[in-house]
């Protein structure tokens, strides 16, 4: 018995390298690009543990839960860590980064999340990158949620370690990810005696056995289906045009934000300023007396496929997230989400105006 997913010819080293080259084109980078065989937490943790260790002085920016995780990894690696934490309804600024450098001029590593899908904010990486270059620090960026929804430009922004994943705006699988690595990041890893070696977390092992060997023989069997899915994502984005894909996500964010305000019922954008709101997901604050997780449960009862989720942890009481990324960066997903939320709010006796919400979505989508 044959099956199209099970009886494929093995992925060759040439094919694997071609997908990496596609990622490099997406990021407009000349840095080395590695595709890692696992969800993006693999290269995110691997890069920190390779590039940071005892003697590293890190500035860790916390604008959501992933920033908190990076701080934990840095401390566990032996680094001295200075956190900048900003409210989750806003973004960090380049001025705040420069203030941290002035207070701690020994900082030599900066970790930042570009867009926090969990909290709906996005950070001005281009401006922050300029500040980091002035300091000469190594710049580590989590662009998993932002890639495909807004520009991600490691070379132009001076990012030394840039991690992406395909499962959000790229509309692809969660089981494969990628990282671009600058020459000075490789040098930092090579000089770190605590960098993982002979480990699934080891980026240096991949460099030596794959990149330095001319990408002619794969170190181990690749994740065949995930690699093919990633290749399909890249081809689809190239065919549609990256600018158009990003514009679609931006329209979805603007339409969701405008529609939620017009809907009423006490819903408000969680991220105060539009400039700080991520194109990949819009977060909404629920009215006093309502519980976000309960509203989401009621909304999903009408259509479980809607891209709705309550905030994580303590945010489950106050935050609703509309995940308008990938195929859901579309008018139908936005209208359906707002209609379901409107019905859930109405069941609690709150006044909503669905027609006004639909008009706002249409006007914002133009």
């Amino acid at each position: 018995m044959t099956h199209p997913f099970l009886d494929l010819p093995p992925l060759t080293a040439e094919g694997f390298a071609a997908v990496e080259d596609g990622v490099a084109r997406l990021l407009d980078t000349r840095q080395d690009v590695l595709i890692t065989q696992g969800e993006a937490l693999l290269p995110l943790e691997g890069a920190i543990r390779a590039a940071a260790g005892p003697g590293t002085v890190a500035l860790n920016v916390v604008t959501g839960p992933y920033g908190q995780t990076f701080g934990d990894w840095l401390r566990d690696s032996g680094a001295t860590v200075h956190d900048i934490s900003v409210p989750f309804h806003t973004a960090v600024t380049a001025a705040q980064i420069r203030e941290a450098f002035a207070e701690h001029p020994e900082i030599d590593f900066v970790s930042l999340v570009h867009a926090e899908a969990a909290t709906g904010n996005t950070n001005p990486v281009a401006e922050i990158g300029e500040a980091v270059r002035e300091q000469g620090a190594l710049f580590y960026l989590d662009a998993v949620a932002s890639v495909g929804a807004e520009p991600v430009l490691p070379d132009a922004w001076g990012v030394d370690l840039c991690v992406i994943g395909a499962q959000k705006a790229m509309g692809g699988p969660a089981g494969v990810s990628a990282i671009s690595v600058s020459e000075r990041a490789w040098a930092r890893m090579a000089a770190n005696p605590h960098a993982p070696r002979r480990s699934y977390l080891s980026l240096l092992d991949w460099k030596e056995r794959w990149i330095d060997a001319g990408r002619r023989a794969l170190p181990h069997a690749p994740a065949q289906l995930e690699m093919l899915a990633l290749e399909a994502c890249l081809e689809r984005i190239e065919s549609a045009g990256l600018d158009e894909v990003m514009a679609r996500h931006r329209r979805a964010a603007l339409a969701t934000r405008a529609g939620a305000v017009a809907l009423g019922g006490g819903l408000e954008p969680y991220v105060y300023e539009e400039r700080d709101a991520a194109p990949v997901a819009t977060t909404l604050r629920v009215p006093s007396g309502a519980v976000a997780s309960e509203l989401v449960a009621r909304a999903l009862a009408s259509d479980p496929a809607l891209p709705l989720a309550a905030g994580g942890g303590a945010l489950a009481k106050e935050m609703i997230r509309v995940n308008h990324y990938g195929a859901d960066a579309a008018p139908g997903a936005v209208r359906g989400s707002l209609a379901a939320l409107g019905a859930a709010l109405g069941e609690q006796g709150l006044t909503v105006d669905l027609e006004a919400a639909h008009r706002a979505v249409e006007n914002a989508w133009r």
Side-chain angles (χ1 to χ4, degrees):
M1 182 177 180
T2 63
H3 192 285
F5 289 162
L6 300 179
D7 300 298
L8 296 166
L11 184 65
T12 65
E14 181 181 16
F16 195 101
V19 182
E20 288 183 333
D21 293 342
V23 172
R25 289 194 299 273
L26 177 69
L27 300 179
D28 194 21
T29 183
R30 300 183 68 180
Q31 296 179 4
D32 288 330
V33 169
L34 279 176
I35 293 179
T36 47
Q37 305 292 281
E39 200 273 337
L41 285 172
L42 169 62
L44 286 168
E45 182 176 358
I48 280 182
R49 296 194 182 278
T56 299
V57 181
L59 176 63
N60 180 54
V61 181
V62 181
T63 58
Y66 282 98
Q68 295 170 332
T69 297
F70 300 159
D72 292 340
W73 286 340
L74 285 162
R75 291 181 177 89
D76 190 52
S77 297
T80 299
V81 183
H82 302 284
D83 289 319
I84 292 181
S85 298
V86 302
F88 290 174
H89 61 256
T90 187
V92 73
T93 66
Q96 289 173 297
I97 300 297
R98 289 190 172 94
E99 289 171 6
F101 288 154
E103 187 174 353
H104 303 285
E106 69 276 16
I107 289 170
D108 60 4
F109 186 98
V110 176
S111 53
L112 175 71
V113 179
H114 187 180
E116 286 268 13
T119 51
N121 56 27
T122 191
N123 292 300
V125 183
E127 298 169 19
I128 292 169
E130 183 176 347
V132 174
R133 282 196 301 273
E134 293 169 2
Q135 178 75 4
L138 207 70
F139 192 9
Y140 163 100
L141 183 69
D142 172 355
V144 174
S146 56
V147 65
E150 53 187 308
V152 176
L153 301 167
D155 293 11
W157 296 343
V159 177
D160 296 286
L161 295 158
C162 182
V163 176
I164 68 166
Q167 68 266 36
K168 289 188 167 61
M170 291 180 68
V176 66
S177 47
I179 180 170
S180 66
V181 186
S182 73
E183 287 299 324
R184 68 189 200 127
W186 284 130
R188 179 77 69 94
M189 294 181 202
N192 180 10
H194 301 279
R197 302 305 302 264
R198 296 170 295 283
S199 163
Y200 201 61
L201 288 174
S202 178
L203 300 179
L204 284 171
D205 287 356
W206 266 96
K207 180 181 187 298
E208 292 177 0
R209 298 177 61 191
W210 172 242
I211 294 175
D212 293 349
R215 300 195 300 177
R216 289 190 294 270
L218 286 164
H220 55 70
Q224 172 97 334
L225 297 181
E226 286 80 1
M227 288 295 295
L228 293 174
L230 176 57
E231 182 179 38
C233 284
L234 294 166
E235 290 174 351
R236 185 167 58 185
I237 291 171
E238 288 187 350
S239 176
L242 178 58
D243 287 344
E244 175 53 33
V245 174
M246 292 190 296
R248 179 165 54 84
H249 283 83
R250 185 62 182 162
R251 288 194 293 269
L254 293 173
T256 303
R257 190 177 182 91
V261 171
L263 180 66
L267 282 184
E268 298 177 350
Y270 191 87
V271 177
Y272 291 174
E273 300 293 335
E274 184 182 297
R275 68 174 181 271
D276 297 334
V280 73
T282 296
T283 47
L284 303 170
R285 190 182 303 274
V286 302
S288 176
V291 177
S293 58
E294 295 175 1
L295 287 172
V296 168
R298 291 185 181 188
L300 291 177
S302 64
D303 184 356
L306 290 171
L308 295 171
L315 295 176
K317 292 184 177 181
E318 64 184 36
M319 178 195 286
I320 292 172
R321 192 170 73 242
V322 184
N323 295 314
H324 43 67
Y325 52 72
D328 288 320
V334 173
R335 286 195 298 265
S337 297
L338 292 174
L341 290 174
L345 290 165
E347 290 175 9
Q348 293 201 346
L350 297 166
T351 301
V352 296
D353 189 340
L354 188 56
E355 290 187 4
H358 284 170
R359 287 195 301 270
V361 169
E362 291 176 6
N363 291 334
W365 200 274
R366 294 172 183 169

